[in-house]
Amino acid sequence: MELFPLLLLALAFVALIVLPARARKRQQTQTQSALAIGVPVTMAGGVYGTVAGLADPATIQVEIAPGVVVTYARQAVIQVRPAAGEVPGPLVNGETVVDPTVDEPSARDDRPGDGPSGKTL
């Protein structure tokens, strides 16, 4: 019975540290396997680009501007982005896609004291 708190602490460590790390590693492996030439990616430093070459298994060539190709480690790929004009992710039944180009009427605040100046009395 005196080992129960220690066992509970070990179980909490596994649940809070080990399992999420394993899931992140699995996700990173899937992301790296989805790489192909012409695929838009986001790199670890926040750089957006398009995969230009995959010759070396440890590195990746990314075009960050027309004619500018840089070499990164494959592990620096954070996200494989959807191609331009493509709707990201699968649509679920009942899910709607919002078109950001459609102008929606701006929300009005009718509280007393909020005028065009934005100052509250």
Side-chain angles (χ1 to χ4, degrees), residues 5-56:
L6 187 61
L7 182 64
L8 191 61
L9 185 64
L11 185 63
F13 177 77
V14 168
L16 296 174
I17 304 295
V18 175
L19 295 178
R22 187 179 294 171
R24 275 192 306 273
K25 180 67 175 171
R26 188 177 326 120
Q27 177 65 31
Q28 183 181 21
T29 304
Q30 289 174 348
T31 298
Q32 290 176 7
S33 68
L35 294 176
I37 294 177
V39 172
V41 294
T42 303
M43 305 307 289
V47 176
Y48 292 89
T50 305
V51 177
L54 298 167
D56 186 14

Side-chain angles (χ1 to χ4, degrees), residues 25-99:
K25 180 67 175 171
R26 188 177 326 120
Q27 177 65 31
Q28 183 181 21
T29 304
Q30 289 174 348
T31 298
Q32 290 176 7
S33 68
L35 294 176
I37 294 177
V39 172
V41 294
T42 303
M43 305 307 289
V47 176
Y48 292 89
T50 305
V51 177
L54 298 167
D56 186 14
T59 61
I60 179 175
Q61 286 76 36
V62 179
E63 184 176 26
I64 57 174
V68 180
V69 178
V70 293
T71 302
Y72 281 98
R74 273 188 189 255
Q75 290 81 11
V77 176
I78 295 295
Q79 177 185 23
V80 174
R81 296 181 293 120
E86 185 178 311
V87 176
L91 293 179
V92 181
N93 288 341
E95 183 178 15
T96 59
V97 177
V98 178
D99 187 4

